[in-house]
Amino acid sequence: MTTHDRIREGDSKTYTRTFTNEEVQQFAELSNDTGYHHLVADEDGQVVLHGLLTATMPTKLGGDLNYLARTMEFEFPRPAYTGVEITCEATYESVEKQDDCTYLEVSFVCETEDGDVVLRGRSEGAIMG
């Protein structure tokens, strides 16, 4: 059974992680986004995650499938912080299987352990082969 055969409309996958201040520092250096709020910790020792660092969570789930995104849309309703567990859930809204690929429409939402939504969005793309 291939990855294509296991994907069903309405199915979802989750990924949970907690980002560190060191990871935000590394992302700042890589992206050249060195905004103060990403580099200087607050009174709790936390910094704000880059939105696109947070967005690596749904892209990790896509990478597990060898998914090639054609489009991605992001909304960041509130900031996410280091030291806070975040869970991303991706749901396959549409699955269209063809001879050599499977086209997907995916929605995703990332929430903190307290239930605060820090990222929501959608993507369209395909799994080739």
Side-chain angles (χ1 to χ4, degrees), residues 34-58:
T34 56
Y36 180 85
H37 52 288
H38 298 308
L39 302 178
V40 178
D42 64 14
E43 62 277 354
D44 296 322
Q46 299 174 304
V47 296
V48 175
L49 300 181
H50 296 78
L52 292 180
L53 179 56
T54 310
T56 64
M57 295 186 71

Side-chain angles (χ1 to χ4, degrees), residues 111-125:
E111 294 184 2
T112 68
E113 55 199 19
D114 293 330
D116 294 326
V117 175
V118 295
L119 170 63
R120 70 170 61 96
R122 55 182 295 100
S123 177
E124 295 179 8

Side-chain angles (χ1 to χ4, degrees), residues 1 4 8 19 21 25 37-38 42 44 46 49 51 54 60 62 66-67 72 84 101 103 107 112-113 117 119-120 127:
M1 180 181 286
H4 301 260
R8 302 276 184 249
F19 290 94
N21 289 17
Q25 176 68 40
H37 52 288
H38 298 308
D42 64 14
D44 296 322
Q46 299 174 304
L49 300 181
T54 310
K60 184 269 189 227
N66 280 328
Y67 173 75
M72 295 187 87
V84 176
C101 66
Y103 293 98
S107 65
T112 68
E113 55 199 19
V117 175
L119 170 63
R120 70 170 61 96
I127 301 170

Side-chain angles (χ1 to χ4, degrees), residues 50-114:
H50 296 78
L52 292 180
L53 179 56
T54 310
T56 64
M57 295 186 71
T59 63
K60 184 269 189 227
L61 290 169
D64 290 347
L65 299 173
N66 280 328
Y67 173 75
L68 299 170
R70 187 176 68 80
T71 65
M72 295 187 87
E73 299 174 16
F74 301 113
E75 176 190 357
F76 304 95
R78 62 185 317 133
Y81 294 89
T82 55
V84 176
E85 184 176 272
I86 299 170
T87 298
C88 182
E89 180 176 27
T91 302
Y92 310 126
E93 302 293 343
S94 172
V95 178
E96 182 182 329
K97 297 177 184 185
Q98 296 187 2
D99 293 334
D100 61 343
C101 66
T102 300
Y103 293 98
L104 300 177
E105 291 181 23
V106 183
S107 65
F108 47 86
V109 62
C110 298
E111 294 184 2
T112 68
E113 55 199 19
D114 293 330

